[in-house]
Amino acid sequence: MNLKGQNNIRTKQTNRSQVLQALLRLGRTSRQNIAELTHLTSATITNLTAELIREELVRETGNLEENRKRAGRKFIALSLYEDAYWVVGVHISFGQLEFGLVNLGGSVKKQRKLDLPAALSEQQFADLLLTELQTFMDGIQEVDVQAIGIGCLGLINFENGVVLDAKPMNWQNIRLAELVASAFKLPVYVDNNVRCMALAEKMFGGSKLAGHFLCLFIGEGIGSGLVLNDDVYRGGLTGAGEIGHVTYVHDGFDCWCGNRGCLEQYASNAAIVRQLKAPSLDAVIQDCLKGNAEAQKAIRQAGRAVGTVLASYINMFHVDQIVVAGHLADENLPFMPAIREEVARRSFLFNREKVEIAFAAIREQIGVIGAASLALHYEVFKK
Ligand SMILES: [Zn+2]
């Protein structure tokens, strides 16, 4: 874990950010535990927590009994005041738009989901987004929204908030951050939706303590977000994580990306539905749960395809954990066991030191919580 503050060299702002992130990781905790995690002096912690309490981002919440070194002593507990800060998360996925009102603790207090009509031009989408977002914002009377985070499918330039290429929706060069910021006069952040999900799992989910992990999202396509050294990895201009377009079958099915045999063509929701000529993924899942052999085989085979690609990935980046999100990542389906079996069969590094392959802790709401996490991360925790 890399959460060391510095008393002299770095700015007060950095130390403040370390204290807030420590509170996110530790939950209800003491000043002593924050000092231990951040390596900041107790005087620095005292000053910073006093400031955060004055701003009402942090509250004193009774006493903590436990302390390993000084048994029996009581310490004052500190917690983030979760309702102190509110953002709106906007999740744009294939054919769907979701809005969520989310607090500092990553809880969704209000949510709206709508289907996007097929064949929307960039301009039609921008108009629809602004209208629907305005309606959602108008419905929020109880709190002040401080920022907006947007997670969108496709290649995104995080620096300027531009959707460069969302091929499945046929969109190019939408200046999303500029558009939304000028309409709502709020700070706006835009990133790839699966990178946002990785951030949500790091901040509020099951990966708070994992320094290096991959978040994989199986939806209509397959995307991933990588956290390295406790931070989202963005590679070059458009970021990284197009694991859905790793070649799985040499000379396999044509893919919209220009390659052939991409993993996405064999293991995504769309691939399974197409293969079985089923009406929807839900129908395949229901069949699978009822014991239909064909549905079970298709889901298991998709898991094996993901496991095959992940084995190579693990051999390249021996991350601590792989987190899988999406409807197929369900305890009652054979998808995850098939991934684990295939990885164990193929990756010697996995067998040398096990990588945890886990379900995402945040389920249905991971899209909007992810988008909101982006705004919370840059406006509060890492400001
Ligand atoms: Zn592809």
Side-chain angles (χ1 to χ4, degrees):
M1 189 183 302
N2 177 22
L3 207 67
K4 267 193 182 177
Q6 288 180 26
N7 294 302
N8 304 315
I9 306 162
R10 288 203 209 157
T11 61
K12 180 182 158 201
Q13 201 61 34
T14 309
N15 290 341
R16 179 189 150 104
S17 148
Q18 301 289 348
V19 170
L20 281 166
Q21 288 186 59
L23 276 159
L24 200 54
R25 276 188 211 180
L26 298 171
R28 184 169 176 266
T29 191
S30 64
R31 288 177 177 81
Q32 289 72 15
N33 288 340
I34 298 173
E36 206 171 293
L37 183 66
T38 59
H39 297 253
L40 290 165
T41 65
S42 28
T44 305
I45 302 283
T46 303
N47 289 337
L48 287 170
T49 52
E51 183 183 297
L52 292 168
I53 289 169
R54 272 198 305 279
E55 290 175 36
E56 297 190 323
L57 286 171
V58 171
R59 284 184 164 182
E60 289 186 343
T61 47
N63 289 321
L64 276 185
E65 294 281 350
E66 61 85 30
N67 189 291
R68 279 169 284 120
K69 285 180 194 154
R70 287 156 285 188
R73 273 190 66 183
K74 282 186 179 170
F75 293 91
I76 297 167
L78 294 175
S79 309
L80 286 171
Y81 176 41
E82 299 192 344
D83 287 346
Y85 198 95
W86 293 86
V87 299
V88 163
V90 180
H91 182 216
I92 306 161
S93 55
F94 182 77
Q96 233 177 29
L97 182 59
E98 280 174 278
F99 303 109
L101 173 65
V102 179
N103 72 8
L104 191 63
S107 298
V108 181
K109 291 296 150 95
K110 194 171 269 185
Q111 194 173 0
R112 182 157 179 255
K113 196 184 273 196
L114 56 142
D115 289 333
L116 289 173
L120 275 182
S121 71
E122 286 90 346
Q123 189 58 51
Q124 285 167 329
F125 169 68
D127 293 344
L128 183 138
L129 174 68
L130 291 183
T131 309
E132 295 295 341
L133 185 53
Q134 184 68 61
T135 308
F136 187 75
M137 299 284 274
D138 288 346
I140 301 168
Q141 302 292 333
E142 57 280 29
V143 296
D144 285 332
V145 173
Q146 308 278 351
I148 298 172
I150 305 178
C152 181
L153 79 164
L155 302 181
I156 313 291
N157 183 336
F158 168 76
E159 293 299 329
N160 57 14
V162 173
V163 179
L164 296 170
D165 198 345
K167 269 224 173 62
M169 296 301 288
N170 222 357
W171 299 333
Q172 285 183 328
N173 297 316
I174 306 179
R175 307 187 69 79
L176 210 48
E178 200 179 287
L179 196 75
V180 176
S182 69
F184 295 94
K185 311 290 180 242
L186 288 172
V188 177
Y189 297 85
V190 185
D191 204 350
N192 171 270
N193 59 341
V194 188
R195 266 200 300 281
C196 291
M197 293 177 199
L199 191 59
E201 281 290 314
K202 176 73 190 163
M203 291 172 72
F204 305 112
S207 305
K208 287 183 180 181
L209 303 179
H212 320 288
F213 71 93
L214 180 80
C215 177
L216 196 66
F217 177 69
I218 317 287
E220 288 308 297
I222 295 179
S224 71
L226 177 64
V227 169
L228 279 182
N229 298 318
D230 291 309
D231 218 341
V232 175
Y233 176 72
R234 287 205 175 79
L237 189 63
T238 61
E242 294 298 335
I243 203 165
H245 302 283
V246 168
T247 304
Y248 168 64
V249 177
H250 184 75
D251 282 338
F253 295 135
D254 285 341
C255 183
W256 57 262
C257 76
N259 186 21
R260 302 176 81 177
C262 292
L263 177 66
E264 188 167 295
Q265 300 301 325
Y266 296 85
S268 60
N269 299 356
I272 293 174
V273 167
R274 191 178 55 227
Q275 187 199 328
L276 294 177
K277 298 186 176 67
S280 66
L281 184 78
D282 274 348
V284 178
I285 289 176
Q286 289 314 316
D287 283 351
C288 181
L289 294 173
K290 282 183 217 148
N292 177 297
E294 208 188 0
Q296 287 181 342
K297 189 176 166 204
I299 291 178
R300 199 175 301 113
Q301 191 53 42
R304 290 186 62 191
V306 171
T308 302
V309 168
L310 276 183
S312 299
Y313 186 88
I314 289 169
N315 287 347
M316 283 173 69
F317 296 91
H318 201 176
V319 289
D320 307 330
Q321 196 187 43
I322 291 186
V323 173
V324 187
H327 290 298
L328 288 170
D330 181 296
E331 288 88 346
N332 301 310
L333 298 174
F335 189 68
M336 292 287 277
I339 294 181
R340 293 191 185 106
E341 275 166 34
E342 202 60 33
V343 169
R345 199 175 356 243
R346 290 174 185 271
S347 169
F348 74 111
L349 281 184
F350 175 83
N351 289 317
R352 188 174 173 91
E353 197 166 331
K354 286 273 186 295
V355 176
E356 188 193 0
I357 300 178
F359 297 98
I362 308 170
R363 295 292 172 95
E364 283 296 318
Q365 295 177 317
I366 196 165
V368 277
I369 296 177
S373 300
L374 189 68
L376 291 169
H377 184 66
Y378 290 103
E379 280 296 303
V380 181
F381 293 100
K382 222 186 163 183
K383 197 168 173 118

